[in-house]
Amino acid sequence: MNLLGDAEDRAFAREDLVYNVTEDLLVFLEDNDISKKELARRLGKSKSYITQVLSGSRNMTLGSFSDICFSLGFKPEIKIPVQEEPIAEKTEFSWGTYDKKIHGTKVVKKLVKRHSNVIDRSNPEHWVKAA
């Protein structure tokens, strides 16, 4: 295990991510004729804050990234590679519901995969409505 190499790889990946996200936001601003001043106004922040965030000199949290995206009129997306388990061929699933009492009085319908407590929503075309 090369700890120095791992640290360098991590640092490079971090800088690459910061660069790509901020660059994409700057391109979006330019393409849509939105100034940093206007973005600051929409967010209720100072123009210097926006300049710092978009230059990468200030840490952009996922929360601030989300706020920026929504103020620009789009939903943020982050893609993490997740290996999906293969679904067995010719397997059909169905949904069922059950009533769940909350605080002893309120009844809420819960949607579950029939005969299981696991809900897999990753591939909806494999699900059919319960009869």
Side-chain angles (χ1 to χ4, degrees), residues 31-94:
D31 288 350
N32 291 279
D33 295 321
I34 301 170
S35 66
K36 291 178 187 176
K37 182 178 179 181
E38 172 58 18
L39 178 59
R41 186 196 64 74
R42 291 180 187 188
L43 291 168
K45 303 283 185 182
S46 67
K47 183 177 179 276
S48 64
Y49 169 84
I50 299 302
T51 299
Q52 290 170 358
V53 167
L54 295 180
S55 71
S57 64
R58 179 182 280 244
N59 189 22
M60 183 182 337
T61 66
L62 289 175
S64 59
F65 175 66
S66 179
D67 292 345
I68 290 169
C69 293
F70 274 102
S71 74
L72 295 173
F74 63 90
K75 182 179 174 185
E77 289 186 27
I78 296 174
K79 303 211 186 251
I80 298 175
V82 178
Q83 187 173 356
E84 294 184 23
E85 292 183 27
I87 296 177
E89 289 186 35
K90 299 183 182 177
T91 302
E92 289 190 20
F93 300 99
S94 61

Side-chain angles (χ1 to χ4, degrees), residues 113-131:
K113 186 173 124 180
R114 190 168 283 170
H115 305 299
S116 175
N117 289 330
V118 177
I119 299 175
D120 177 10
R121 298 181 300 170
S122 65
N123 202 348
E125 63 268 8
H126 289 77
W127 298 86
V128 295
K129 285 187 178 180

